[in-house]
Amino acid sequence: MAIEGSKGPGLTAEQLAEEVNHLSTPDLLSTPFGEFEFFDGVPKPESVQSIFDGLDLVRGITAFLNAVPGASLVAMRKGLRVAGVDSPDKIAYTDPRCNSGALWLTPNTETTYGVAFLDLKAWGPTVIEAPPQALGVVDDFWFRYVADMGIAGPDKGAGGKYLFLPPGYKGERPDGYHTYESSTFTNFVVIRALGGVPAIKQSRIYRLSDAAAPPENTFVNIADQVFNTIHANDFSFFEEIAELVAEEPVGALDPERAGTLRSLGITHAKPFAPDERLRGILDQAARTGAAMARATLYAARDPESLRWEGSSWKEGFVGGNYEFLSDGARNLDARTLFHYAATVITPAMAHAQVGAGSAYIYTAEDADGALLDGAETYSLRIPADPPAKNFWSIDIYDTQTRSLLQSTAYPALSSLEGDLQIEDDGSHVLWFGPTAPEGKESNWIPTLPGKSWWPLLRLYGPLEPWFDMTWRLPEFVREKD
């Protein structure tokens, strides 16, 4: 029986066949994971395991790139525990400053750091007393911003009391504190103060229940200790992430990243125990993900990464948003780039203002586009009138560890150096190589033959010529034989 109106506009048989062709999988499909065989779109039994191995590898690489922030803080906490900072009442500091002995992601050698970890599961509501003129930040265990303390915080540098509450807290919220609720129990605390070590030692961390008579804190000088705070680039990476996921509430991570980890056996409820097959795949995933992170860092492909057109100098914080958001979308490469190279997230880093905060740029290449080689000698001219209200500095780092290059205790130069030579035009010519050019020792940073290296320029209190691009840093020039 004919149905009235059944004839009319629609696809021809040929057009429908073409549409089906777009929807179909061929019986033999060549992929980066091997050749997969199908019978009319259904995977053949002999290909199913290979397909799932490929899926697990993709998920593992995705997990690595998206979970670097969390793994970074797990490794940071582990390293500080090795150094004796193993409870929230202990505050680490670097006196006089960081050196190249320990492994840290891109520390500077010019300022004193204070660092600690809160444990809101063990301690419950916890108070931090920030000293005057502090530059303090608290990030959660997934390296997401929680609060600024001090100059960039609500106390505006006057000093103040900050109260941090655990996830889902339902108890009392007393007056007299700047109060924040974290998504995680563990929180990373960074305290820097313009008054240096004496000011950092005015900081206090204690349980809210001890507020009437806060106990003394223990301050641990870690400047000359040797330890590692950097996450793994092999299967161990996933063990670091499993430690984090097991400790924190189910809702601590967004569902998409949590779902990727769950597909690999990393959940809050069960121990992480991959079989030999998955363990091998995850080791490969971490190594592949690390390779991708290194390309994202050293050869950033996002045009926004480049500081100046035609220059190799790159921005470490791409996009100007501390959550790496642009038009409602997450810039995944920008997040990976930043966290693979650096630590601490705060809006104050993403939005430097004229005369306040700091600006950062880096490169891994010379003027010819060649990678920087520790066996070669290079010069870098810092043009006259660098746009820094306070001072400028340049530190160089190991390309493998992203830590200070272990060519000397302090592989850095800055405008604070009293004996830095100045050219007649007001510029500074800096030298980098295994040996100092004769008469240039004061302007030289040693490098290591057989190793690459990369520099990071910091401007403390960047001035208008930085923002309007009228001041430009030249490239590194390799000295020819």
Side-chain angles (χ1 to χ4, degrees):
M1 183 176 77
I3 300 174
E4 187 176 351
S6 62
K7 293 183 180 296
L11 298 176
T12 67
E14 291 79 8
Q15 289 171 327
L16 180 60
E18 183 64 23
E19 290 295 318
V20 171
N21 185 54
H22 290 312
L23 306 176
S24 299
T25 296
D27 286 348
L28 184 63
L29 182 65
S30 294
T31 79
F33 313 108
E35 291 193 335
F36 299 155
E37 293 187 65
F38 299 81
F39 172 62
D40 201 22
V42 180
K44 288 187 174 181
E46 56 268 30
S47 287
V48 168
Q49 189 58 59
S50 295
I51 292 171
F52 281 134
D53 287 349
L55 177 58
D56 288 340
L57 180 59
V58 170
R59 293 260 173 84
I61 293 170
T62 300
F64 181 94
L65 295 172
N66 289 342
V68 160
S72 186
L73 277 186
V74 173
M76 176 76 75
R77 185 179 66 175
K78 179 180 178 182
L80 289 176
R81 285 174 172 174
V82 169
V85 185
D86 52 8
S87 65
D89 63 333
K90 294 181 179 179
I91 302 173
Y93 68 101
T94 55
D95 187 10
R97 50 201 171 121
C98 276
N99 61 47
S100 62
L103 300 181
W104 298 82
L105 289 177
T106 55
N108 72 63
T109 61
E110 291 74 46
T111 60
T112 299
Y113 291 98
V115 294
F117 274 94
L118 305 184
D119 186 345
L120 303 179
K121 181 182 287 186
W123 274 28
T126 298
V127 177
I128 299 178
E129 292 188 16
Q133 295 300 295
L135 295 164
V137 180
V138 176
D139 291 328
D140 78 4
F141 210 20
W142 279 105
F143 237 138
R144 296 170 301 203
Y145 171 73
V146 177
D148 279 298
M149 304 180 295
I151 294 171
D155 70 82
K156 305 299 183 184
K161 294 182 179 181
Y162 290 77
L163 176 60
F164 295 91
L165 305 175
Y169 179 74
K170 303 298 183 184
E172 180 186 5
R173 297 172 183 251
D175 295 332
Y177 300 92
H178 304 292
T179 301
Y180 299 85
E181 182 174 335
S182 176
S183 297
T184 59
F185 292 113
T186 295
N187 289 260
F188 179 51
V189 182
V190 177
I191 303 169
R192 290 188 291 171
L194 300 184
V197 173
I200 287 176
K201 287 188 174 182
Q202 294 178 41
S203 305
R204 292 290 178 267
I205 301 177
Y206 51 85
R207 294 174 176 87
L208 176 62
S209 58
D210 291 331
E216 291 293 318
N217 288 116
T218 300
F219 292 86
V220 181
N221 186 5
I222 59 173
D224 294 323
Q225 292 198 51
V226 177
F227 51 92
N228 173 38
T229 70
I230 301 173
H231 65 79
N233 280 193
D234 59 13
F235 171 77
S236 306
F237 175 94
F238 294 97
E239 294 179 313
E240 292 167 341
I241 291 299
E243 180 180 338
L244 191 170
V245 171
E247 290 182 16
E248 297 298 343
V250 171
L253 185 62
D254 59 273
E256 290 298 320
R257 282 197 287 178
T260 300
L261 296 173
R262 183 184 183 85
S263 73
L264 302 173
I266 299 175
T267 72
H268 178 75
K270 295 189 299 184
F272 178 50
D275 59 19
E276 185 176 350
R277 178 198 70 87
L278 183 55
R279 187 183 182 96
I281 288 172
L282 292 182
D283 184 70
Q284 183 181 9
R287 295 177 188 278
T288 304
M292 294 172 176
R294 290 178 184 279
T296 300
L297 172 61
Y298 297 125
R301 62 181 177 175
D302 187 338
E304 280 194 80
S305 295
L306 297 177
R307 174 63 186 173
W308 300 283
E309 185 177 354
S311 171
S312 73
W313 288 99
K314 302 170 184 67
E315 305 273 8
F317 218 123
V318 180
N321 182 280
Y322 72 96
E323 294 182 301
F324 307 101
L325 292 174
S326 177
D327 297 326
R330 187 93 57 199
N331 186 331
L332 299 177
D333 284 357
R335 183 175 66 186
T336 297
L337 184 162
F338 179 84
H339 284 288
Y340 200 71
T343 58
V344 187
I345 281 291
T346 165
M349 292 179 67
H351 293 288
Q353 299 177 355
V354 176
S358 50
Y360 313 80
I361 53 172
Y362 71 95
T363 186
E365 307 164 41
D366 67 14
D368 299 320
L371 301 180
L372 297 171
D373 185 340
E376 301 289 341
T377 297
Y378 302 85
S379 63
L380 174 68
R381 183 174 64 87
I382 308 293
D385 301 317
K389 177 182 177 181
N390 301 317
F391 66 95
W392 59 262
S393 69
I394 188 162
D395 297 74
I396 67 172
Y397 300 96
D398 185 310
T399 49
Q400 287 282 15
T401 66
R402 292 90 70 208
S403 299
L404 288 164
L405 187 70
Q406 294 182 330
S407 59
T408 183
Y410 301 107
L413 289 169
S414 81
S415 56
L416 299 176
E417 313 273 348
D419 58 351
L420 203 63
Q421 295 179 21
I422 304 175
E423 303 298 307
D424 291 341
D425 64 357
S427 66
H428 296 81
V429 178
L430 310 183
W431 296 88
F432 307 79
T435 57
E438 186 175 355
K440 305 297 182 182
E441 289 81 3
S442 63
N443 287 38
W444 166 67
I445 301 176
T447 60
L448 297 172
K451 286 199 65 62
S452 187
W453 55 276
W454 60 294
L456 199 157
L457 175 79
R458 293 175 171 90
L459 301 174
Y460 292 90
L463 299 175
E464 192 62 42
W466 173 257
F467 295 94
D468 64 19
M469 301 282 192
T470 55
W471 186 89
R472 175 168 173 159
L473 190 64
E475 303 293 300
F476 280 85
V477 177
R478 183 172 66 87
E479 298 300 299
K480 310 296 184 181
D481 294 333

